[in-house]
Amino acid sequence: EDDANLRQLVERNVILRQAQDDPSIVGDALDGADAIVDAVLGTGRARPIEGALADALDRAAACGAPIYAVDLPTGVGCDTGAVDPHALRADVTIALGCSKVGLHTLPGAEYAGRVDVVDIGLPKDAVDALPTELLNPRWVRDRLPARPSGGNKGTFGRVLVVAGSERYAGAARLASLGALRAGAGLVTLACTERVQQLVAPNASEVPYLPLADRDGAIAAEAAGAVASAVASYDALLIGPGLAQGRGQEAFVRQVLCSLGEGAPPVVIDADGLNNLAKLPRWWERVAARCVLTPHPGEHSRLTRTSIDAIQRDRLSSARDAARGWEQVVVLKGAYTVIASPDGRAGVSPYANPALASAGTGDVLAGAIAGLLAQGLSPFDAACCSVYLHAAAAEGLRADTGDAGMLAGDLLPELPRTVRELKGLS
């Protein structure tokens, strides 16, 4: 009774009902309600919901009125997106000061509805110091590389893509063109002769570095040719469509372990990651600055952690890996997480089932390499590419819906998305 906020409500003639005394009061209050404001539990919730509160939330969920949550829907975990069985599904969540990680992580994101962030007067310095960024158009636009009118292909960077096998030639094409569509000046594909024959008719803009073939994939002895060529490039991408086997494992190991600290930054994707995972304590043997782009299955193999454990706390899982490996990690999936060794992290605002299609990750890996070659840091290149890739897919989703989008559809959409971002006022 001595609560100051409660006293203000009484002074304003707000009708108060104590559900703790009689749970049926909640049902009576909800009858005919045009809207419900959920302002019960917020960022500090730590224990299961039960008793009168559980009953009240269940009744609110069943009444059918639109629900507006303050900061977080009651029952949604702030940091992980975990949900209590009695959690409310909001139509709109009004996040105070900053959004919350749990609103952009499944399953919590499915309970948040539309998320609107409102200013409550937090000091700008305090907000800027937060280590986690929800990626947005202006954040990305401010980090995109400049495109001087007098530039040439050398100005915009050179990418060496090591990719493809007879079974997965398309991955090499998508990765190479992804780098070009992200603005790289020159992209060379290092691959076998057979992959070149399959890719060249649909990628006439790409020159080739021929590599030795063994059983339809790049041979282990080809590592020397790649290591010799790397110094002429501004970024290296290795992995899309390489296939797996002892030969590919040896090839990936020899290439990555041969790169010194002066080597260009490296994007390791797909079978580059799968083969790397077989090398014990690989992070102690790879000196180059790297961006690793695992989906949860690949992340599980790299970390020796279950997929369920990874998905329960994606942000912490990516952060822990980035710190332990001292490399940038892109944990792909709905609301992709990008983590830096220094503790910073970016979270994509998008979850798009249309991206659940073979080859979209190859385009993303190529885009990251393309921005690396243009001089962005590994963390910024990864964050910007994740956002551009997802935003491009959102544009296509408006036309194609949630299914049927092809990875190749993303390629012309990437530069259009960049143009739209640069046009922001």
Side-chain angles (χ1 to χ4, degrees), residues 61-371:
C63 82
I67 296 173
Y68 297 82
V70 179
D71 220 17
L72 285 163
T74 293
V76 172
C78 174
D79 297 319
T80 66
V83 297
D84 187 276
H86 300 285
L88 277 183
R89 288 182 181 267
D91 295 275
V92 179
T93 297
I94 309 299
L96 305 180
C98 297
S99 197
K100 309 299 182 287
V101 172
L103 302 176
H104 307 281
T105 307
L106 293 174
E110 295 179 332
Y111 286 68
R114 189 183 80 236
V115 177
D116 292 336
V117 181
V118 296
D119 183 9
I120 59 170
L122 297 177
K124 184 177 184 301
D125 290 348
V127 173
D128 291 344
L130 293 173
T132 307
E133 184 75 37
L134 180 66
L135 302 179
N136 63 71
R138 284 177 174 77
W139 190 96
V140 173
R141 179 200 62 186
D142 291 347
R143 287 159 177 79
L144 290 176
R147 303 287 295 185
S149 299
N152 55 56
K153 62 178 179 285
T155 307
F156 302 122
R158 302 168 184 266
V159 178
L160 179 62
V161 175
V162 183
S165 59
E166 192 165 355
R167 289 187 63 193
Y168 305 112
R173 171 184 173 271
L174 291 167
S176 300
L177 295 182
L180 284 170
R181 289 295 193 175
L186 175 72
V187 178
T188 299
L189 174 58
C191 63
T192 66
E193 182 180 357
R194 179 58 177 153
V195 170
Q196 179 180 346
Q197 292 170 349
L198 294 170
V199 171
N202 296 301
S204 55
E205 303 86 354
V206 178
Y208 296 86
L209 173 64
L211 299 179
D213 181 312
R214 180 160 296 174
D215 300 326
I218 297 173
E221 55 266 30
V226 173
S228 298
V230 162
S232 301
Y233 292 87
D234 302 295
L236 168 67
L237 165 58
I238 183 168
L242 279 186
Q244 295 184 65
R246 290 187 177 180
Q248 290 72 53
E249 182 183 343
F251 171 77
V252 169
R253 180 180 69 249
Q254 291 173 37
V255 170
L256 293 178
C257 292
S258 70
L259 301 176
E261 293 184 0
V266 183
V267 181
I268 311 174
D269 183 55
D271 284 333
L273 297 170
N274 291 324
N275 287 300
L276 187 65
K278 300 168 187 173
L279 178 62
R281 303 189 68 81
W282 62 265
W283 56 91
E284 296 177 352
R285 302 174 63 179
V286 177
R289 294 177 300 149
C290 299
V291 178
L292 286 77
T293 59
H295 58 56
E298 293 160 346
H299 198 68
S300 174
R301 288 187 279 277
L302 285 163
T303 61
R304 307 293 193 268
T305 306
S306 73
I307 293 176
D308 286 345
I310 291 166
Q311 296 292 76
R312 277 197 300 270
D313 193 348
R314 286 169 52 83
L315 180 59
S316 292
S317 184
R319 265 203 175 110
D320 290 347
R323 285 192 181 111
W325 300 335
E326 297 186 353
Q327 304 289 3
V328 171
V329 173
V330 177
L331 180 54
K332 295 186 293 192
Y335 308 104
T336 290
V337 175
I338 308 96
S340 172
D342 61 12
R344 290 178 297 156
V347 178
S348 169
Y350 297 115
N352 187 342
L355 279 172
S357 174
T360 58
D362 303 320
V363 175
L364 173 60
I368 297 172
L371 291 183

Side-chain angles (χ1 to χ4, degrees), residues 12-32:
R12 287 162 172 77
N13 297 317
V14 174
I15 299 170
L16 307 176
R17 294 184 172 93
Q18 287 286 354
Q20 194 77 29
D21 300 332
D22 182 2
S24 66
I25 289 176
V26 175
D28 296 339
L30 289 169
D31 287 342

